[in-house]
Amino acid sequence: MPRFRRTKRIQPVSSRRLRSASRESTQRLKFDLGQLVAAFTFLVFVVVVVLVCFAGLSPAGPQILPNQAARVRIVAEFPFSYESAQLTERLIEQSRNRVPPIYRLSFNGFERFKTQLEGLQKQMEKLDREVSGLDEADRQASFEAFFVRNATLQTYKIDSKDLLVLFRLLDNETRESAIANGLNELKRIYEEGIYDSDHEEIRAAGGDLSLFHIQEESGAISQVRVQSDEDALRSLRLNLSSLDVPRDVYMKLNRILRHGLEPNLVFDAGRSAERIREIVDAVEPVVVSVREGQTIIEPNTKVSDLQIEQLAAYRRQMRETSESGILFDALLWERVLMTFAILLCAVIVLKVGHVSLRDYTKEFALSGIIILLNLALIRIVLETGDIRLIGEKTSDFAGMLPFLSPVALGAFLVTILLGTGQGIFVALVVSVLNALMQDGSLIILLISFLSVLVGIYACQNIQVRARVVRAGGMAGLSLAICAFFMGMRDGLDGMVIVQNMIASQVIGVVTGIAVLGFLPILENLFKFTTDITLLELTDFNHPLLRRMQVNAPGSYHHSLMVANLSENAAATIGANPLMCRVCSLFHDIGKLVKPEYFAENQHDGINPLLETNPSMSALIIRSHVKEGILLAEQHKLPRGIMDVIREHHGTTLIQYFYDKALERHKSTDPPFYHDAPHIEVDEVTESTYRYEGPKPQFRESAVIFFADGVEAASRSLRKVTPQSINELIDSIFSDRITDGQLTECALTLEELDKIKRSFAYTALNMLHSRLEYPEKKKGTDRSHENNRTEQSKNGDSLPSSSPAQATPTHSTA
């Protein structure tokens, strides 16, 4: 017989194990892919932050103003040279001051005096001919009469006695020769130049010296020695003494000619300015060379304008060096690594707090966009301040830059949209990056973060828009106080301190106003709802609420009661009471489509649901959720309200119609005879009688979910006592927790206990009884005592369990 080798039997793998392995592989793949996407998103965010904050930013040290006491030593890390504008300006000023003023000689005064004196000589010659035959007494009388009527003597203050001596002692030819020689001497003195030694302009221009720059008729400028007015008189007297005339004539001629002397040195402003321009244009810029390791700024000393200029040149050179070799810029890489480290620390903090990116994608996206927006605005402010050229401008505006950065903008937006914790987180990230943009100053980090924290404290639970501006003002005030103490520490001028304080206050108020402008945009983009918007929706004149008051008054009253229950309960567990109130007001707006099908809106004892089969009745009851969503979308209600409309019933069972369907299914009549065909009735499926959900996803939705059922069920109580209310609440909570309605909502047992106690307190006060006033007995009992029906605990509009009773019960569905 042939021998066969025994083989191992292959066991079939069950399909369940294959499906399980496939699911695990798919989940592992999704998990790995999600991690890769998260890591890539983080790296992209780091790159964008670096580009926004540091691309092209000046890489130099702290901003320092002239006359400010420096707190750090700044040393040149490499040699560099620069043209000093201040030293060049000083050199130009010195050259300008050394340029002598240019004058020109004026002969107008001499020409006038010469014309007058020569005319006087001709008149004297004529007079001499007229009196030639008269005796001495008549000649003198005629001469005196002549001088009385001659205006020339009064113009030049010539004494008539001096002319009388010339008239008597000299004949006409000798007198004419003597006057001509005297005028020649006078002209020579004018040609040498005469200046007024007492004139302020001449003294300021160097009038106490005898050397002046005179422009000649040819245009050339020559330096000549000019005599003063006193020297000119002395020179005239000496020159006249050499004339061949008698002494008395010489003395009288000197007295006459001295009145013709006057300063003739005239300042030429145009030529002087032109000369100054020529000298200034010839001045070469002053080049300063700084060696490696040389100290630019000394600590604990007041900084001069020259040091500020040198620091600006150092920064400019450093920036040019970094721009020419950006891949090798050590400072830029340092900032990149610091930014990466800061954001990585933020991610680690979130991981430690078990915050998942997949669970809060929208929140992370919003926070990231706001951080980038805030950093971009800060960068714009820094660039607008032109901090690269601040050393050249020596402007106090540079000192205002740390107080003009809108650091609080992003933190305010996140606080209002997402909450205080997220706002503080964003404030810390923005403050650190802002300090890095401003040369890593620890002081700027501390004062920025402190002012933002003050603003966040004032931004909590804001429901009025004016409070946003007030929060910005408080942040600005805290920053202004810091600016005051920083200015006192640095020894700044009082006006500079005041300017910094005003800048801090202004930027705080402007930040608050800007937040109000950004809020509606971000709310619409990311579908977040702020308390400000919620408060506006509490207006009872809203079109949907007005329609409910008219068309579904029972549902409207029920919504008000649910609002009271949920608002008080939310406050006890730290949820948002305002959101609970607003969502409760709108949670049943779907009943506006068919209000007559819900018991709270029925007043004539007719319930249309009794005339339909149970599945159709359940469909009508469930439809108010979808109708509510459609109405909410038409009226552009916030996403949170739509979520509550979907979730306020969860996936609870419409118990009444479900039980009724089961009864009908069990009570199917047997065939009339043995061989008759049997009619199969559709099986009753529980999903047909359950709401589509989803289950409550957040705390406010869960509170409204329970408040809705408690308010509806409490209307069925025959006697309102603390015990009956507590038993009812415990029953509702127990049934719904057992039904798994809270499996998707993070409510603790402690919070559930607080909610139940709050419901009991509020319901007991809402349903309290009053003393019954005495009245006459009537033949019939109160109708509501006879028509009291069974109430469903899930709050739907259900008819009485007895077919004989058609009066509907109150509902909160």
Side-chain angles (χ1 to χ4, degrees):
M1 292 181 64
R3 300 181 63 182
F4 296 95
R5 185 173 57 184
R6 181 176 294 179
T7 59
K8 185 177 181 181
R9 184 178 181 182
I10 300 176
Q11 299 290 336
V13 181
S14 66
S15 60
R16 179 178 297 179
R17 291 177 61 188
L18 287 175
R19 287 195 300 269
S20 177
S22 177
R23 282 197 303 269
E24 290 179 0
S25 177
T26 303
Q27 291 176 356
R28 189 180 302 108
L29 180 61
K30 290 182 178 179
F31 180 74
D32 294 340
L33 184 60
Q35 283 187 329
L36 290 176
V37 171
F40 178 75
T41 304
F42 173 74
L43 292 177
V44 170
F45 185 72
V46 171
V47 171
V48 175
V49 169
V50 170
L51 292 177
V52 170
C53 296
F54 307 118
L57 185 66
S58 175
Q63 298 298 329
I64 301 175
L65 294 178
N67 299 323
Q68 176 183 352
R71 299 296 174 183
V72 295
R73 173 181 282 107
I74 301 178
V75 179
E77 298 181 359
F78 54 86
F80 66 97
S81 299
Y82 69 97
E83 294 182 0
S84 174
Q86 295 191 31
L87 292 180
T88 303
E89 185 62 31
R90 287 185 185 181
L91 181 59
I92 291 174
E93 188 65 26
Q94 292 173 2
S95 302
R96 183 185 291 112
N97 294 334
R98 285 197 297 265
V99 175
I102 299 176
Y103 298 89
R104 56 184 174 81
L105 299 179
S106 175
F107 294 91
N108 295 333
F110 170 76
E111 295 296 336
R112 288 194 305 269
F113 182 76
K114 177 182 178 182
T115 302
Q116 296 292 341
L117 193 58
E118 289 178 347
L120 186 61
Q121 165 59 25
K122 291 180 180 180
Q123 293 176 10
M124 289 175 62
E125 180 181 356
K126 181 181 179 182
L127 179 63
D128 191 27
R129 289 195 299 269
E130 292 176 355
V131 299
S132 59
L134 300 178
D135 57 8
E136 186 67 24
D138 293 337
R139 283 169 59 89
Q140 184 172 351
S142 299
F143 186 77
E144 290 177 355
F146 165 75
F147 281 114
V148 169
R149 65 176 181 270
N150 197 305
T152 302
L153 302 179
Q154 285 77 24
T155 301
Y156 289 97
K157 300 179 182 180
I158 299 176
D159 192 353
S160 60
K161 296 179 181 180
D162 296 334
L163 284 176
L164 182 59
V165 171
L166 297 181
F167 184 76
R168 289 175 54 224
L169 298 180
L170 299 177
D171 56 16
N172 182 59
E173 183 178 355
T174 306
R175 185 174 57 250
E176 183 178 0
S177 175
I179 291 176
N181 292 332
L183 289 175
N184 290 335
E185 293 295 334
L186 189 64
K187 182 179 180 181
R188 187 185 61 78
I189 294 175
Y190 265 89
E191 290 175 348
E192 292 182 0
I194 307 170
Y195 69 87
D196 186 2
S197 58
D198 293 331
H199 198 282
E200 294 182 359
E201 181 180 351
I202 298 296
R203 284 189 176 276
D208 54 339
L209 303 176
S210 58
L211 295 177
F212 289 85
H213 286 71
I214 306 298
Q215 181 178 1
E216 300 176 357
E217 294 181 359
S218 61
I221 299 174
S222 59
Q223 186 176 6
V224 298
R225 187 176 298 277
V226 180
Q227 56 188 344
S228 65
D229 48 3
E230 296 177 356
D231 294 336
L233 290 174
R234 190 180 303 111
S235 177
L236 178 64
R237 185 174 64 254
L238 293 175
N239 293 335
L240 291 177
S241 63
S242 62
L243 295 178
D244 187 15
V245 293
R247 179 177 176 77
D248 288 344
V249 174
Y250 147 71
M251 295 296 297
K252 300 307 179 182
L253 186 60
N254 180 59
R255 287 169 60 88
I256 293 172
L257 293 176
R258 69 181 297 171
H259 293 294
L261 282 175
E262 65 180 27
N264 71 331
L265 201 62
V266 179
F267 176 68
D268 193 340
R271 190 66 182 92
S272 298
E274 183 181 352
R275 180 62 175 167
I276 290 175
R277 284 196 298 270
E278 293 174 356
I279 297 298
V280 169
D281 293 341
V283 174
E284 295 291 335
V286 178
V287 177
V288 178
S289 297
V290 179
R291 64 182 183 276
E292 182 178 358
Q294 180 177 336
T295 300
I296 300 176
I297 301 294
E298 288 286 352
N300 301 321
T301 58
K302 287 193 175 182
V303 183
S304 64
D305 292 337
L306 287 176
Q307 290 175 312
I308 292 292
E309 183 187 46
Q310 192 171 96
L311 178 61
Y314 175 58
R315 291 172 171 170
R316 185 168 52 252
Q317 185 70 29
M318 184 180 294
R319 184 177 65 253
E320 292 173 357
T321 302
S322 64
E323 290 176 354
S324 61
I326 187 170
L327 295 178
F328 304 99
D329 184 6
L331 185 57
L332 178 60
W333 281 113
E334 177 184 348
R335 287 172 170 173
V336 170
L337 292 177
M338 292 182 69
T339 303
F340 181 83
I342 292 168
L343 297 179
L344 184 60
C345 290
V347 171
I348 293 174
V349 170
L350 294 176
K351 286 293 184 180
V352 171
H354 303 289
V355 179
S356 174
L357 176 62
R358 289 180 297 177
D359 297 336
Y360 298 95
T361 304
K362 188 167 62 173
E363 287 79 0
F364 277 109
L366 174 63
S367 300
I369 290 175
I370 290 177
I371 289 174
L372 292 176
L373 172 66
N374 200 354
L375 293 175
L377 290 176
I378 293 173
R379 178 66 185 277
I380 291 173
V381 170
L382 296 180
E383 293 295 333
T384 303
D386 200 12
I387 62 174
R388 299 176 179 177
L389 303 178
I390 196 62
E392 298 174 5
K393 292 185 176 182
T394 61
S395 170
D396 291 341
F397 187 67
M400 297 168 60
L401 290 178
F403 310 103
L404 286 175
S405 301
V407 185
L409 178 65
F412 282 12
L413 288 171
V414 174
T415 299
I416 296 173
L417 290 170
L418 301 180
T420 304
Q422 295 88 331
I424 294 175
F425 184 79
V426 170
L428 181 59
V429 173
V430 173
S431 297
V432 173
L433 293 174
N434 173 55
L436 285 179
M437 278 192 284
Q438 301 196 44
D439 313 308
S441 174
L442 180 61
I443 294 296
I444 293 178
L445 168 61
L446 293 178
I447 65 174
S448 300
F449 190 55
L450 174 62
S451 64
V452 178
L453 287 182
V454 172
I456 289 176
Y457 178 79
C459 266
Q460 297 181 99
N461 303 321
I462 282 185
Q463 300 177 2
V464 182
R465 297 185 185 274
R467 284 190 59 192
V468 179
V469 181
R470 189 182 71 176
M474 292 181 63
L477 179 61
S478 63
L479 192 60
I481 294 173
C482 294
F484 172 77
F485 286 108
M486 286 182 62
M488 296 297 293
R489 183 204 66 170
D490 294 337
L492 297 180
D493 183 70
M495 185 55 66
V496 176
I497 296 176
V498 172
Q499 290 176 356
N500 292 344
M501 295 179 67
I502 293 175
S504 302
Q505 193 64 60
V506 169
I507 196 61
V509 175
V510 170
T511 298
I513 297 174
V515 168
L516 294 179
F518 281 113
L519 271 179
I521 300 174
L522 296 175
E523 283 185 271
N524 291 330
L525 287 177
F526 291 91
K527 306 304 179 184
F528 283 106
T529 305
T530 64
D531 287 351
I532 298 174
T533 303
L534 292 175
L535 189 64
E536 293 173 352
L537 291 173
T538 57
D539 184 7
F540 292 139
N541 290 317
H542 190 280
L544 287 176
L545 298 181
R546 294 293 297 173
R547 284 178 58 187
M548 287 188 70
Q549 295 173 34
V550 176
N551 299 331
S555 299
Y556 175 73
H557 180 265
H558 159 69
S559 298
L560 292 178
M561 298 300 102
V562 173
N564 292 335
L565 284 169
S566 60
E567 184 178 21
N568 295 335
T572 61
I573 64 172
N576 191 338
L578 181 60
M579 185 174 184
C580 286
R581 166 166 286 278
V582 175
C583 293
S584 297
L585 292 177
F586 290 92
H587 80 285
D588 267 347
I589 56 175
K591 294 181 180 179
L592 285 171
V593 178
K594 297 178 180 179
E596 68 277 5
Y597 281 88
F598 300 92
E600 67 267 24
N601 300 315
Q602 299 167 1
H603 304 288
D604 51 5
I606 299 176
N607 192 338
L609 294 178
L610 296 178
E611 300 175 0
T612 61
N613 60 51
S615 61
M616 181 60 66
S617 299
L619 179 63
I620 294 174
I621 293 296
R622 292 193 309 170
S623 66
H624 83 277
V625 174
K626 292 183 178 180
E627 298 293 347
I629 295 298
L630 293 176
L631 286 174
E633 291 176 349
Q634 292 174 7
H635 288 79
K636 294 181 171 48
L637 293 181
R639 178 69 62 185
I641 297 179
M642 297 184 188
D643 292 338
V644 170
I645 293 175
R646 290 189 184 93
E647 300 168 9
H648 78 278
H649 282 300
T651 58
T652 54
L653 182 67
I654 305 176
Q655 191 69 44
Y656 177 82
F657 291 110
Y658 178 68
D659 293 342
K660 188 174 181 181
L662 290 177
E663 291 177 0
R664 291 184 59 179
H665 183 74
K666 292 179 182 179
S667 61
T668 303
D669 296 333
F672 291 104
Y673 53 91
H674 179 70
D675 294 332
H678 180 72
I679 300 175
E680 292 289 340
V681 180
D682 294 339
E683 293 291 333
V684 178
T685 58
E686 188 176 294
S687 61
T688 305
Y689 299 90
R690 281 190 179 273
Y691 286 98
E692 296 179 359
K695 299 175 182 179
Q697 304 292 311
F698 51 99
R699 296 195 299 172
E700 289 80 6
S701 178
V703 171
I704 297 173
F705 169 74
F706 283 114
D708 186 44
V710 168
E711 200 283 333
S714 64
R715 299 296 176 178
S716 65
L717 293 175
R718 294 180 178 273
K719 186 176 182 181
V720 179
T721 63
Q723 181 179 357
S724 62
I725 290 178
N726 287 328
E727 290 176 353
L728 175 65
I729 293 174
D730 289 339
S731 175
I732 292 175
F733 273 70
S734 177
D735 291 345
R736 297 194 175 188
I737 293 174
T738 304
D739 195 28
Q741 298 298 316
L742 293 184
T743 56
E744 300 176 10
C745 181
L747 274 178
T748 64
L749 294 176
E750 180 183 5
E751 289 173 339
L752 288 174
D753 185 63
K754 290 181 179 179
I755 293 172
K756 289 194 289 185
R757 280 186 278 138
S758 175
F759 282 172
Y761 178 82
T762 306
L764 187 62
N765 283 278
M766 288 194 309
L767 302 173
H768 69 279
S769 60
R770 294 180 179 271
L771 293 175
E772 185 176 359
Y773 292 98
E775 59 181 356
K776 294 181 180 180
K777 291 185 178 181
K778 296 183 179 180
T780 60
D781 295 334
R782 298 178 185 271
S783 60
H784 70 273
E785 292 292 340
N786 295 331
N787 293 328
R788 188 177 302 274
T789 60
E790 180 182 353
Q791 177 68 40
S792 171
K793 294 180 182 179
N794 65 5
D796 292 321
S797 299
L798 306 180
S800 170
S801 58
S802 172
Q805 288 181 321
T807 304
T809 63
H810 183 77
S811 167
T812 66

